[in-house]
Amino acid sequence: MTGTLSSEPIHIIGGGLAGSEAAWQAANAGVRVILHEMRPHRMTDAHRTDGLAELVCSNSFRSDDAANNAVGLLHGEMRRLGSLMMRAADANQVPAGGALAVDRDGFSAAVTKALEDHPLIELKRGEIEGLPPADWRNVIVATGPLTSAPLADAIRELTDENALAFFDAIAPIVHRDTIDMSKAWFQSRYDKVGPGGTGADYINCPLDKPQYEVFVAALISGEKTDFKDWETSTPYFDGCLPIEVMAERGPETLRHGPMKPVGLTNPHDPTVKAYAIVQLRQDNKLGTLYNIVGFQTKLKYGAQQHIFRTIPGLENAEFARLGGLHRNTFLNSPKLLDQQLRLRAAPRLRFAGQMTGCEGYVESASIGLIAGLYAAADAHGRALPSPPPTTALGSLLGHITGGHLETIDNGPRSFQPMNVNFGLFPPLANPPTRKPDGTRLRGNEKAIAKRQALSARALSDIDRWIADHLRLAAAA
């Protein structure tokens, strides 16, 4: 994307991965950028340096396998788009098998130097308190999960609704095609048709009394994660208690809560009433993902997989994401943001990174990347179409701006942060059924072939999008 130099700068608030990537992309598109970072004048509870793109939780960008893994595919797309985060990660890689892990200090230093050396980027240290000045007409807010209180308060006032969540209460999300429907069935409680519902909006998994008792005992004894120091002051609230905390309140608590068996009849065994029932609710418009209702948890990931696979119908469940409960600041993005990440109530403000509802360093950086491209296009007076939904970047953007499904009852808000995963991608029109030699795919071979076909389609489509709209040299 080339053009005349815009005289009015893009202001980017936040020098994490998303803000740094947005600054790099916008500047490389020929637009002057002012990048605002409050550190070291004001530090956060999690950061320890004043370096840009500091990794505070983990040094791994996760899998780098673009053919078989959705985050590896996102790596590949970002490299094609000239990502600074991927360039710095590749230059500071440390051995980690098939994962892309980096030297954290070297990575941050490389990003900081690249941005400080860029002729179109000005780095300003200091906090932006409240909303940016009114004469900043092209702004990207990329302040992350530790957004300062004055800015968070200003966003809430501007949107005039419960715009921000401060505690991430996430139930596990399961790939629909891994649920055993010979044991589970579709039905809403009492066949109730809620807003947007059909009366058969939940997948139901029945447990008898011995299965339930074993399940409750496993929840109580399962290994839990601890809060980080800076999370401990954010209390639980009764609407989102961890399932293991509910179990600890008494053996019957779950049967009168998220696992109550009333109003449901198992068509596989209609004369037998289940002692408890686990419900799953559709999580995205494609119908490829279902969340386990009320199962937010602090169980460690290994314990979650083991315990939740004891539920009838979920023995072979594959998880798009596991449950969690931690401090996080994120927008109700599908309602508040448009397709180009602009705040509907104030389109001069564009949001990027984790606060838009993506999870993970790579995902945050990728949303920063596309936000930078959108802002640069605006500066040049051009419209930039969104990446195809068949790409990793496009599928993640779709989740943020409207790919989720609104709740069909009066439950809590349904939008929750998400890592990139193949469940966000539109299904293949013709899934592979045979190997190159013509023999039929069997068992796990089908899943592998499907992932590889989704990845191949994505890379082809991102290359075409780049050629049509950005005219960049796509580097393999």
Side-chain angles (χ1 to χ4, degrees):
M1 186 164 49
T2 60
T4 59
L5 181 64
S6 174
S7 60
E8 189 170 339
I10 296 170
H11 290 268
I12 299 176
I13 305 173
L17 274 73
S20 296
E21 185 66 60
W24 180 256
Q25 294 291 330
N28 282 347
V31 182
R32 190 161 58 91
V33 171
I34 300 176
L35 177 59
H36 302 266
E37 170 53 51
M38 69 180 184
R39 292 175 294 126
H41 300 290
R42 178 170 177 177
M43 298 298 288
T44 75
D45 293 321
H47 291 85
R48 60 181 179 84
T49 78
D50 63 356
L52 300 176
E54 180 185 343
L55 302 174
V56 300
C57 297
S58 167
N59 68 346
S60 178
F61 279 45
R62 312 196 317 276
S63 173
D64 201 35
D65 183 354
N68 294 284
N69 186 283
V71 74
L73 174 59
L74 188 56
H75 290 176
E77 293 180 9
M78 291 173 69
R79 288 187 178 107
R80 284 164 157 78
L81 286 158
S83 166
L84 174 60
M85 299 306 109
M86 294 310 303
R87 189 181 84 175
D90 290 339
N92 290 277
Q93 186 172 3
V94 296
L100 175 57
V102 303
D103 177 294
R104 292 194 291 175
D105 292 337
F107 172 82
S108 177
V111 172
T112 302
K113 185 177 189 308
L115 295 177
E116 287 179 341
D117 290 350
H118 199 293
L120 293 182
I121 297 175
E122 177 185 355
L123 178 59
K124 282 192 174 182
R125 299 283 184 171
E127 183 179 6
I128 305 299
E129 295 187 1
L131 289 177
D135 59 348
W136 294 7
R137 291 188 289 182
N138 195 344
V139 181
I140 297 174
V141 181
T143 47
L146 299 178
T147 296
S148 66
L151 180 55
D153 290 342
I155 293 168
R156 273 204 309 271
E157 290 178 14
L158 184 64
T159 56
D160 194 30
E161 69 164 89
N162 185 19
L164 289 165
F166 291 95
F167 219 96
D168 216 352
I170 300 173
I173 296 173
V174 177
H175 289 278
R176 160 67 181 86
D177 59 6
T178 66
I179 300 171
D180 184 354
M181 296 306 294
S182 70
K183 298 179 180 179
W185 74 95
F186 280 99
Q187 186 185 5
S188 298
R189 207 176 300 280
Y190 301 109
D191 302 310
K192 181 180 177 182
V193 180
T198 66
D201 301 299
Y202 293 82
I203 293 176
N204 300 279
C205 300
L207 291 82
D208 59 26
K209 185 174 182 180
Q211 289 170 329
Y212 174 78
E213 290 173 345
V214 168
F215 181 75
V216 169
L219 289 176
I220 294 171
S221 63
E223 192 174 6
K224 320 298 192 294
T225 59
D226 295 323
F227 281 116
K228 298 180 177 66
D229 290 342
W230 46 270
E231 292 181 307
T232 54
S233 61
T234 310
Y236 293 134
F237 50 99
D238 279 346
C240 283
L241 283 174
I243 189 170
E244 63 274 9
V245 172
M246 286 188 273
E248 290 168 353
R249 292 185 170 185
E252 294 294 294
T253 302
L254 291 174
R255 289 188 66 240
H256 296 280
M259 296 178 68
K260 58 181 178 285
V262 299
L264 298 162
T265 300
N266 183 355
H268 306 303
D269 198 358
T271 63
V272 176
K273 288 294 183 182
Y275 191 74
I277 289 176
V278 172
Q279 290 195 307
L280 295 92
R281 180 170 54 206
Q282 187 173 333
D283 197 76
N284 66 342
K285 290 179 180 176
L286 292 171
T288 53
L289 300 175
Y290 275 71
N291 70 73
I292 310 180
V293 177
F295 270 44
Q296 56 275 353
T297 178
K298 290 290 285 185
L299 287 166
K300 289 191 173 180
Y301 284 175
Q304 288 187 50
Q305 293 185 72
H306 171 72
I307 294 170
F308 297 151
R309 284 177 179 150
T310 67
I311 298 168
L314 301 186
E315 294 90 345
N316 298 307
E318 294 295 333
F319 296 92
R321 73 162 299 158
L322 288 158
L325 196 70
H326 58 88
R327 179 179 162 185
N328 191 7
T329 303
F330 66 97
L331 294 164
N332 192 4
S333 293
K335 285 190 174 181
L336 299 178
L337 303 183
D338 69 12
Q339 295 274 320
Q340 299 226 332
L341 301 169
R342 291 173 297 211
L343 192 66
R344 296 180 193 277
R348 72 187 181 95
L349 303 179
R350 183 176 267 110
F351 286 80
Q354 192 166 328
M355 70 184 309
T356 64
C358 60
E359 187 90 348
Y361 285 132
V362 179
E363 290 88 341
S364 295
S366 73
I367 298 303
L369 185 156
I370 191 62
L373 292 176
Y374 285 149
D378 280 356
H380 288 305
R382 298 174 183 162
L384 176 64
S386 297
T390 51
T391 64
L393 181 56
S395 71
L396 189 60
L397 189 66
H399 167 71
I400 290 167
T401 60
H404 83 305
L405 191 76
E406 282 294 330
T407 182
I408 54 148
D409 49 30
N410 294 320
R413 54 192 273 168
S414 56
F415 178 68
Q416 290 287 353
M418 177 76 77
N419 292 106
V420 67
N421 66 84
F422 284 120
L424 300 179
F425 290 58
L428 295 162
N430 297 295
T433 57
R434 295 188 179 275
K435 304 176 190 177
D437 64 5
T439 58
R440 186 173 294 277
L441 293 165
R442 300 186 182 280
N444 195 44
E445 294 174 338
K446 290 182 180 178
I448 294 171
K450 176 184 172 182
R451 289 195 296 268
Q452 292 177 348
L454 287 168
S455 293
R457 180 182 69 176
L459 292 175
S460 174
D461 288 353
I462 199 72
D463 284 342
R464 187 177 303 110
W465 181 76
I466 290 169
D468 289 346
H469 302 293
L470 298 182
R471 297 182 178 87
L472 297 176

